[in-house]
Amino acid sequence: MRYRPRGLAIPDPGSITKTTTLPPVEDRVSRAQGPLADVGTQLLRALRNGFHASNWELVSARESSTGHPVGVLGPQVGYYLPQILMETDMHGPGVDARGATFPGVGLFVLLGHGRDYAWSATTATSDNTDTFAEVLCQDDFHYRWRGRCLAMDKLQRTNSWTPSAIDSTPPSSETLTVYRTVHGLVFARGTVGGKKVAFASARSTYGHEADSALFFSRMNNPNFINGPPSFRAAARLMNLNFNWSYIDSEHIAYQLTGWYPQRARGTSPDFPILGTGKFDWKGFDPSRYEARWLPQRKMPHAVDQKYLVSWNNKQAPGWAAADDLWEYGAVHRSQMIADKVRRGTKGKRKMTLAELVQAMELPATQDLRALKVLPIILRTIGRPKAPKLRAALADLRAWRRAGAHRRDLDKDGRYEFNEAVILMDAWWPKLVRAEFQPALGSAGLEAVEDIVPFGDHTRGTPGPPSFFEGWWGYVSKDLRGLFGKRVRDPLSRHYCGKNSRKRCRAALQNSLREALDVTPAQLYGFGDCESDPQPSCFDRNTSTIASGLSIDPQPFQNRPTFQQTVSLSGGVPR
C-alpha cells in the first residue's frame, strides 16, 4: 500500500453511503456506442467473469526440443451454454486469422493465430482506476473543479424484459440512474473533514472501450505482424489491461498493455484524492477523457526470455497491482506451472510441446495450499504427541507426495486422498485464524478478511477453487520468518504466537485438532451437494445455462476454456 499525503481525501468514519452498485469496470451507461464498443464491453465482461483463470506458457527456441518456440495459450471466460467464445476462421483483405471471438461482435479474431504466429492474453489486474473525492458546491449535484462549480451529468437508462421459453422471470423493467463528473461515475457519497463529497471512479479506459479494436485489426493482419517488434507496435494500440503473449517460429514475446495514468506528484494511488483539479492525472482532458498515459517502454515486457508463464501473477518487481488486489506475494498459483517449466528447461534439458501441455494441465487439479504452503506448516507444527494428529499429518504428507491433486481418477465419486482434501479444507480457515488473530484481534482479522478472504473454500458456496484469492502468501512468509528462514521483504512482525515459536506451534496443533471434528456436511453440504457432501461435488465446474439445452456439472479443472497448442517450424514470406 502506497501512502502519500498530498491531496489525500480519506472519508470520515461512518460517513460513506453507496449510491450505485454499478461495477466501475463495466459501466452500463458509456460514451462508446456501436459494434466496436461492444468488443470492448465484451472484453471487460470477460475480464470480470472469467479471465482470472486464464493462463499461457511459452518456451523459447533455445529451450525447445525442436529448436523452435513452443506455446500453450488459454483464455478463461467461464463456463456457459452456449459458450461466450466461439471459434471463427476469417480470411479477406487485411484479415487472415483463426481463433476465438464473441458471438455477435466477431469483427476480428480476438485470441488465436495468424498464418505463422499466435497470440493470447490473461487479465493483468493492474492499476488504471482511481477514486476522486468531488467537493460539493451549491447542492448535492454540483461540484468544484478547477475553480468552477459544475453540474454533474445525470445519466438514465431503462431496461425491460420478457421471459423466454426457458425463463420463468416475470416481465418487468428497471430505470437506472447514475451521476457523472469529469472524472467518472459517482458511486458513493460521504464527508471528508466534515465537508460533503461525492466519490467518483476514474477509469482510464472509460468511453474508450472501442479503441481496443485497433489492436485486433493489427493482430489479424498478416501484412503487419512479422515478429516481436510489430507485435509490440500493435500492443501500443491496446488500452485495456491484459498480459499479451506472442509466439512465432523463432521468437516468443510478452507485453503488458493498458492506459496507466501518471498521477500528480506526491499523491497516493491507493487512496481517494481530492477532485478539485489540482491533483488530476497528468495531461488530463475531460472533453476527450484522455491523459498522458505511461509510455509502453516503461511497462513490463520481454522478448525471447528463457520461458514465460502468466496465470494472472504479478508482472514484474515493483509493478503496482490494482487497488483492490492483495493476493500478490510469496506464494502464487503461477508457481505451480512455472516450477514445472523450470524443471523441463533446466540445464541441458529441452522441453517438448507435450511436456509443456502437461506443465499447464497438472496444476489444473492441484491444491496450491498443499503443494506450496504445507511444507512450512509441517515444519512449524512439529511432531505432536497425540496419535490422531500424527495420523492426520501423515495423510497430508502422503497427499502432497502424490501431487496434492483434487481429482477422482477411478470415477467412484470420491477424490483420491479424499480424507486429506477434506482435512485441508477444514483446517485452512482455522489455521489462518490461529496464526493471525492473537496479534490482530478478532475485529482486526475480520476487517482484513473482508478485503482478502482466507481462500476459496471459506465461502460456503459450491464452486471450483481458483486458488487466486487467499492468504497462502501471508501464512508462508510469516511461518518462514518465525522458524529461522530469512525471507525477502519480511512482514512488519511475526504474527504466529506473537513471535513465540512455542505458542505458534501450540496454536497450530490446536487448530488441527479442531479441524478433525469438522464433518463433510459442514463443509460441503450446500445446494446440490447437500445429499452428497463431498469435495468432488463441491468443486465441480457448473455451466451457466442460457439455452434450451443443458449440460451436467463437470469434474473440477482450474484451466482455460479455449486452448491453443503452438509449435511452428517456419514463417510465411511477406
Side-chain angles (χ1 to χ4, degrees), residues 122-139:
T122 67
T123 297
T125 55
S126 290
D127 193 4
N128 72 338
T129 303
D130 285 333
T131 296
F132 285 93
E134 315 289 13
V135 179
L136 300 182
C137 56
Q138 187 173 316
D139 57 28

Side-chain angles (χ1 to χ4, degrees), residues 11 25 41 67 69 106 112 120 180 187 233 249 287 293 304 328 390 419 457 460 463 495 524 562:
V25 75
T41 301
S120 192
R180 183 175 61 198
F187 67 92
S249 63
S287 66
W293 312 120
D304 290 335
Y328 293 158
R390 291 202 300 271
E419 295 306 312
H457 279 39
Y495 288 89
Y524 314 115
F562 178 86

Side-chain angles (χ1 to χ4, degrees), residues 97-273:
R98 180 175 180 176
T101 189
F102 295 112
V105 291
L107 300 178
F108 302 108
V109 171
L110 306 183
L111 308 141
H113 65 84
R115 292 176 184 172
D116 54 6
Y117 60 90
W119 74 97
S120 192
T122 67
T123 297
T125 55
S126 290
D127 193 4
N128 72 338
T129 303
D130 285 333
T131 296
F132 285 93
E134 315 289 13
V135 179
L136 300 182
C137 56
Q138 187 173 316
D139 57 28
D140 288 346
F141 304 102
H142 287 76
Y143 63 102
R144 292 199 175 279
W145 185 71
R146 296 184 181 177
R148 294 181 293 163
C149 186
L150 303 181
M152 298 179 184
D153 298 329
K154 182 179 181 180
L155 308 176
Q156 284 190 318
R157 176 168 177 170
T158 299
N159 298 319
S160 60
W161 55 86
T162 55
S164 66
I166 61 168
D167 184 11
S168 60
T169 305
S172 188
S173 64
E174 64 177 1
T175 298
L176 306 174
T177 302
V178 66
Y179 288 87
R180 183 175 61 198
T181 72
V182 293
H183 297 112
L185 301 182
V186 173
F187 67 92
R189 293 176 181 270
T191 62
V192 173
K195 294 182 178 181
K196 295 174 69 174
V197 299
F199 292 98
S201 179
R203 171 169 53 87
S204 65
T205 54
Y206 180 64
H208 288 275
E209 292 83 358
D211 295 18
S212 63
L214 299 173
F215 165 77
F216 298 117
S217 69
R218 294 288 184 92
M219 294 305 297
N220 280 239
N221 190 336
N223 299 317
F224 186 87
I225 302 298
N226 57 4
S230 59
F231 158 68
R232 293 195 65 214
R236 279 198 295 270
L237 302 174
M238 168 54 70
N239 61 343
L240 303 180
N241 294 7
F242 288 103
N243 300 301
W244 291 98
S245 58
Y246 170 87
I247 179 173
D248 60 28
S249 63
E250 298 180 2
H251 304 287
I252 61 174
Y254 157 67
Q255 178 64 58
L256 173 68
T257 63
W259 282 355
Y260 299 105
Q262 300 188 73
R263 278 93 180 180
R265 185 182 298 274
T267 59
S268 187
D270 294 330
F271 294 96
I273 300 299

Side-chain angles (χ1 to χ4, degrees), residues 229 231 241 272 312 334 346 349 402 467 484 505:
F231 158 68
N241 294 7
N312 311 111
S334 63
K346 186 177 181 180
R349 294 179 182 175
F467 296 113
R505 178 161 288 168

